[in-house]
Amino acid sequence: MQIKPALQYLFLKIQAVLLLGAGNCAGALPRFERMLLLRPADRYALASRAHLLAQLNNFAEAISSLQQLTRIGGSAPQEAAAWFNLGFVLQQTGRHDDAGPAFQRALERDPCMDRAWYGLALVLIHQAQFLDAVKALKRNTALQPLSPYGWYRLAQVRLALGQPDKALRVIAHLRQFEPRVAAQLERETGLSPEVGVAGMAGVGDATH
């Protein structure tokens, strides 16, 4: 008796999850591909296939799967995640000019996606668009105020814009909750904590 497609899909999904749990990415990948033969527009299988391909350093195929995923309709969070993941993989492969629009598409669907603002900021820094990078990093740090990554980049961009006082304010703010990262920035930028900047305290001062 032939197994119905719905049961085939379920068995393959269970096998894939078990293989992933055992750390067998190479074994799980064919299961997701067979799931896609049964359901070519399955968002879960496409996203999982792309994730595994990226882990196995097959970035070209990972990008292809993610591009296909972005063409499948879904909820706003689902579509935002697909566009973000596409931008992330493109960025990791050095395709910054292609990653930027993907991050922007993600933000059109979810303006509060902090990681997309950060990814977009990295693209803008690579393109030397520092003023726009500041705007993106302000959005990122507003959404993730206790994450050091956005603040770290913001200090670097302020210095690139010739604004050492503002960079020092960011470092001073960062020192309140990530002193090690602040110390690293001081070493990298050559900015000394002894340099006087009036009205240094406060998040507002750090971001303006």
Side-chain angles (χ1 to χ4, degrees):
M1 181 183 295
Q2 187 177 9
I3 300 176
K4 294 182 179 180
L7 284 177
Q8 284 183 303
Y9 177 91
L10 181 59
F11 289 148
L12 288 167
K13 185 174 182 179
I14 291 171
Q15 290 174 354
V17 170
L18 290 173
L19 288 165
L20 284 177
N24 188 351
C25 296
L29 181 59
R31 271 71 178 181
F32 287 116
E33 291 176 338
R34 287 165 64 187
M35 288 164 64
L36 287 168
L37 291 176
L38 295 168
R39 300 182 184 179
D42 186 68
R43 298 187 64 88
Y44 171 73
L46 274 171
S48 299
R49 179 178 184 269
H51 178 72
L52 289 176
L53 286 166
Q55 282 193 320
L56 296 168
N57 296 320
N58 189 344
F59 295 110
E61 285 298 316
I63 289 169
S64 178
S65 279
L66 289 168
Q67 287 173 331
Q68 185 178 348
L69 185 58
T70 62
R71 292 192 288 268
I72 298 172
S75 65
Q78 287 176 328
E79 292 184 5
W83 281 108
F84 168 79
N85 288 329
L86 176 59
F88 179 80
V89 177
L90 287 167
Q91 193 171 56
Q92 295 303 301
T93 56
R95 294 173 59 179
H96 301 278
D97 291 341
D98 294 323
F103 289 132
Q104 289 172 338
R105 293 286 187 89
L107 290 166
E108 287 171 5
R109 289 154 178 81
D110 183 2
C112 293
M113 183 178 275
D114 59 277
R115 52 188 175 160
W117 283 113
Y118 184 76
L120 179 60
L122 294 184
V123 169
L124 294 167
I125 290 170
H126 184 268
Q127 296 171 339
Q129 298 184 43
F130 298 125
L131 290 175
D132 288 332
V134 167
K135 296 176 184 177
L137 288 167
K138 284 185 176 182
R139 294 296 301 269
N140 171 261
T141 54
L143 292 164
Q144 282 287 352
L146 296 181
S147 173
Y149 302 106
W151 295 107
Y152 180 91
R153 295 294 182 183
L154 183 57
Q156 290 181 324
V157 172
R158 287 300 194 187
L159 198 58
L161 286 168
Q163 301 170 343
D165 287 0
K166 291 185 177 181
L168 192 56
R169 290 192 184 105
V170 175
I171 294 172
H173 171 67
L174 189 56
R175 194 182 299 115
Q176 297 174 26
F177 60 97
E178 285 287 352
R180 292 184 180 179
V181 178
Q184 180 181 343
L185 268 170
E186 288 167 359
R187 290 192 298 271
E188 292 178 356
T189 62
L191 294 175
S192 168
E194 285 77 25
V195 175
V197 179
M200 191 180 296
V203 177
D205 289 338
T207 58
H208 293 317

